[in-house]
Amino acid sequence: MKALLLVNPASGREKVNKLVKVAKRKFEEKKYHLDVYFSKCAGDLTEKALKWAGDYDTYIVCGGDGTINEVVNGVMQSDVRPNIAVMPVGTVNDISHILGMSRNIGKNLDVIFNNKPIPTDINKINDHYFVYVSGAGYLTEVSYEADRLEKKKYGSLAYLKTGIKGLKKKPFFTAKIECNGEVYIEQVSLLLILSANQFGGMRLPFFAPQGKLNDSLVDIRVFSGRNIWLIFRLVMFILLLGRKQYKQYHVATSKATITPLDTDNVKWNADGELVATGKIKLEVIPSAINFYVNPKRVKKLY
Ligand SMILES: [Mg+2]
């Protein structure tokens, strides 16, 4: 194995240095090759992941969801695509939770050393790739507006605070959704696109009970209603573990075009970052990148 550890140092210097030290030692024991690169600024890892794609068979990404998203966007632009392993540090780690990758470095490396990586779908909004979640409207608009420092300090409380702020902003719109040969007009308060049954640290096993990370499909769910009714729907969404509620729009698709009809200002979030405004083309790229996955999670996910 010839691996490159791509590190986001913003995740905490001390923690990261310790992790690098342990990883180096474990790779030496196995007589595998490991290089280490520290990200210099936002977007740097996209550029480097593309540039060095031919030089390594594996990228180990040390950071949160945003860091993984950066690396994925670089790898997807390359014809040769290294395998990806994720090592969670930082605040938002949905992707590593989904894949069952541990915060314990030893356990994490055991998964990498003892298992084959698995071909996994990657999704695309316009020209931006994402791994597991995209959306527009209430909560999505506020999540990337939540101040990064605040996120670090208060964790999910920062989301709650911005969530309440978001109620006043009313990011409601009418959307034309074209997919699977049909056209729907929907009133949208929140539109969620998920490729796994998890979002914001919550397990939602009934969101798409048949959904897999390699079925070339993502699931789209629309929440309508406002204020108390919207909050009620969202609380029920969590309590019902993602189940579709009465008269809700839900579809599984490999391709969709979503056009906001009454505003140009709809902002789309993907893996926690702002990636597009207005009309979007959504597409699933089947089995695009091989990911290392905890063997205990494989049967459920693939
Ligand atoms: Mg899928």
mmCIF file of all heavy atoms in Angstrom, residues 121 195 211-218, ligand 1:
data_model
loop_
_atom_site.group_PDB
_atom_site.id
_atom_site.type_symbol
_atom_site.label_atom_id
_atom_site.label_comp_id
_atom_site.label_asym_id
_atom_site.label_seq_id
_atom_site.Cartn_x
_atom_site.Cartn_y
_atom_site.Cartn_z
ATOM 1 N N ASP A 121 -21.087 4.922 -4.619
ATOM 2 C CA ASP A 121 -21.624 5.991 -5.469
ATOM 3 C C ASP A 121 -21.196 7.361 -4.944
ATOM 4 O O ASP A 121 -21.104 7.574 -3.735
ATOM 5 C CB ASP A 121 -23.164 5.973 -5.467
ATOM 6 C CG ASP A 121 -23.726 4.673 -6.022
ATOM 7 O OD1 ASP A 121 -22.983 3.950 -6.702
ATOM 8 O OD2 ASP A 121 -24.916 4.402 -5.758
ATOM 9 N N SER A 195 -28.035 10.011 0.544
ATOM 10 C CA SER A 195 -27.626 8.730 -0.036
ATOM 11 C C SER A 195 -27.453 7.680 1.045
ATOM 12 O O SER A 195 -27.204 6.528 0.764
ATOM 13 C CB SER A 195 -26.331 8.892 -0.826
ATOM 14 O OG SER A 195 -25.282 9.226 0.048
ATOM 15 N N GLY A 211 -32.349 1.690 0.560
ATOM 16 C CA GLY A 211 -31.257 2.454 -0.051
ATOM 17 C C GLY A 211 -29.882 1.877 0.263
ATOM 18 O O GLY A 211 -29.623 1.419 1.368
ATOM 19 N N LYS A 212 -29.033 1.875 -0.744
ATOM 20 C CA LYS A 212 -27.656 1.392 -0.571
ATOM 21 C C LYS A 212 -26.685 2.440 -1.108
ATOM 22 O O LYS A 212 -27.065 3.289 -1.915
ATOM 23 C CB LYS A 212 -27.464 0.079 -1.354
ATOM 24 C CG LYS A 212 -28.410 -1.035 -0.944
ATOM 25 C CD LYS A 212 -28.049 -1.618 0.401
ATOM 26 C CE LYS A 212 -29.049 -2.707 0.808
ATOM 27 N NZ LYS A 212 -28.938 -3.076 2.222
ATOM 28 N N LEU A 213 -25.436 2.322 -0.683
ATOM 29 C CA LEU A 213 -24.421 3.277 -1.139
ATOM 30 C C LEU A 213 -23.879 2.926 -2.528
ATOM 31 O O LEU A 213 -23.011 3.602 -3.042
ATOM 32 C CB LEU A 213 -23.263 3.346 -0.144
ATOM 33 C CG LEU A 213 -23.577 3.948 1.234
ATOM 34 C CD1 LEU A 213 -22.336 3.981 2.102
ATOM 35 C CD2 LEU A 213 -24.159 5.353 1.093
ATOM 36 N N ASN A 214 -24.394 1.830 -3.105
ATOM 37 C CA ASN A 214 -23.949 1.450 -4.449
ATOM 38 C C ASN A 214 -25.120 1.051 -5.333
ATOM 39 O O ASN A 214 -24.986 0.196 -6.201
ATOM 40 C CB ASN A 214 -22.933 0.307 -4.367
ATOM 41 C CG ASN A 214 -23.519 -0.932 -3.719
ATOM 42 O OD1 ASN A 214 -24.581 -0.866 -3.089
ATOM 43 N ND2 ASN A 214 -22.861 -2.054 -3.875
ATOM 44 N N ASP A 215 -26.306 1.653 -5.114
ATOM 45 C CA ASP A 215 -27.480 1.309 -5.930
ATOM 46 C C ASP A 215 -27.781 2.363 -7.001
ATOM 47 O O ASP A 215 -28.834 2.332 -7.637
ATOM 48 C CB ASP A 215 -28.720 1.082 -5.042
ATOM 49 C CG ASP A 215 -29.083 2.312 -4.210
ATOM 50 O OD1 ASP A 215 -28.401 3.359 -4.363
ATOM 51 O OD2 ASP A 215 -30.025 2.224 -3.405
ATOM 52 N N SER A 216 -26.848 3.300 -7.198
ATOM 53 C CA SER A 216 -26.997 4.362 -8.201
ATOM 54 C C SER A 216 -28.195 5.261 -7.940
ATOM 55 O O SER A 216 -28.701 5.911 -8.849
ATOM 56 C CB SER A 216 -27.132 3.784 -9.620
ATOM 57 O OG SER A 216 -26.100 2.896 -9.869
ATOM 58 N N LEU A 217 -28.685 5.289 -6.707
ATOM 59 C CA LEU A 217 -29.859 6.093 -6.385
ATOM 60 C C LEU A 217 -29.606 6.983 -5.171
ATOM 61 O O LEU A 217 -28.875 6.601 -4.262
ATOM 62 C CB LEU A 217 -31.051 5.189 -6.059
ATOM 63 C CG LEU A 217 -31.600 4.290 -7.170
ATOM 64 C CD1 LEU A 217 -32.596 3.300 -6.593
ATOM 65 C CD2 LEU A 217 -32.236 5.116 -8.284
ATOM 66 N N VAL A 218 -30.230 8.158 -5.202
ATOM 67 C CA VAL A 218 -30.357 8.949 -3.981
ATOM 68 C C VAL A 218 -31.851 9.150 -3.727
ATOM 69 O O VAL A 218 -32.664 9.000 -4.637
ATOM 70 C CB VAL A 218 -29.674 10.337 -4.079
ATOM 71 C CG1 VAL A 218 -28.177 10.221 -4.057
ATOM 72 C CG2 VAL A 218 -30.161 11.102 -5.303
HETATM 73 MG MG MG B 1 -27.929 4.974 -2.959
#
